[in-house]
Amino acid sequence: MKRVIFVLLVTVSFLFAGCLNDDDGYSMGDIWIGSGIVEDEQSFRIKLDGGEILIPVAFSDYMSSAPMLKTGDRVFLNYTVLDEKKNDVDSIEAYYVKINDYEKVLMKGILDITDAIEDSIGNDPIIVLDHWVSNNLLNLKLKYWGEQKKHYINLVKEPGILTAGDQPFELELRHNDNDDNQSIAFVSFVSFKLDSLKIAGLDSVRFKVSSKNYNNETITFEKVYKYSENN
């Protein structure tokens, strides 16, 4: 249930979120949310998708029992900005923050679908609540039903070398619920690395993702991966 509770908290937080360039200063009552990558597991230094650097200097009581994060982990954060770290020319280098809560985000690559993995990949329904591209990643907010078993989420494509003429590249979101009971609604985030879609000589590519929902309908969305802007 933790994932559902956290997402509800994040939804409420959006209503009170400020902006990192708030000229009126920072308040302990202000809350920001964002996604990023842990750059240093020792200091928990985080680089947000927009490029801003967060340096945690305070944590909520929850963090004392939270799982440890490692360099390279992706996280979804609920935080409060306390102050700015500036350089010699008075430009902002980073933000000192209090971490109120966070969710570790599953991050993985795109798989080639083969007969050998077809069964394990599964073809169970899933709902895509939101989707966006940032920092060389396709980010998905997903909803699915389960109870106690571990679920597996993958993004797959047909084997073979991609060419510019194949655009939009066809990808499929696959879900294996391991025959779990559909008694609880879960909401979670997952990020897929898009590097394998790069085509030499281009600065962007188009791709579309299809998935099957609980009404057995095929849902498709199309995105542009502008990797020259995300490196």
Side-chain angles (χ1 to χ4, degrees), residues 106-114 117-126 128 138 140 142 144 150-157 170-178 188-194 208-212 221:
L106 176 67
M107 184 170 63
K108 56 200 314 185
I110 299 171
L111 296 178
D112 283 349
I113 187 70
T114 64
I117 66 172
E118 178 71 37
D119 290 339
S120 62
I121 289 297
N123 197 27
D124 296 311
I126 196 162
V128 179
L138 170 64
L140 302 177
L142 305 174
Y144 56 91
K150 186 173 184 178
H151 292 224
Y152 297 96
I153 308 293
N154 285 284
L155 190 63
V156 303
K157 69 175 184 65
E170 295 189 6
L171 309 176
E172 187 177 358
L173 183 66
R174 301 290 288 268
H175 174 210
N176 184 347
D177 65 9
N178 279 322
S188 63
F189 295 87
V190 59
S191 296
F192 293 99
K193 301 175 184 178
L194 296 173
K208 62 181 180 180
V209 177
S210 61
S211 60
K212 184 180 73 173
F221 65 85

Side-chain angles (χ1 to χ4, degrees), residues 51-67:
E52 299 91 349
I53 301 297
L54 304 184
I55 302 176
V57 294
F59 303 89
S60 67
D61 293 339
Y62 157 75
M63 295 293 292
S64 62
S65 60

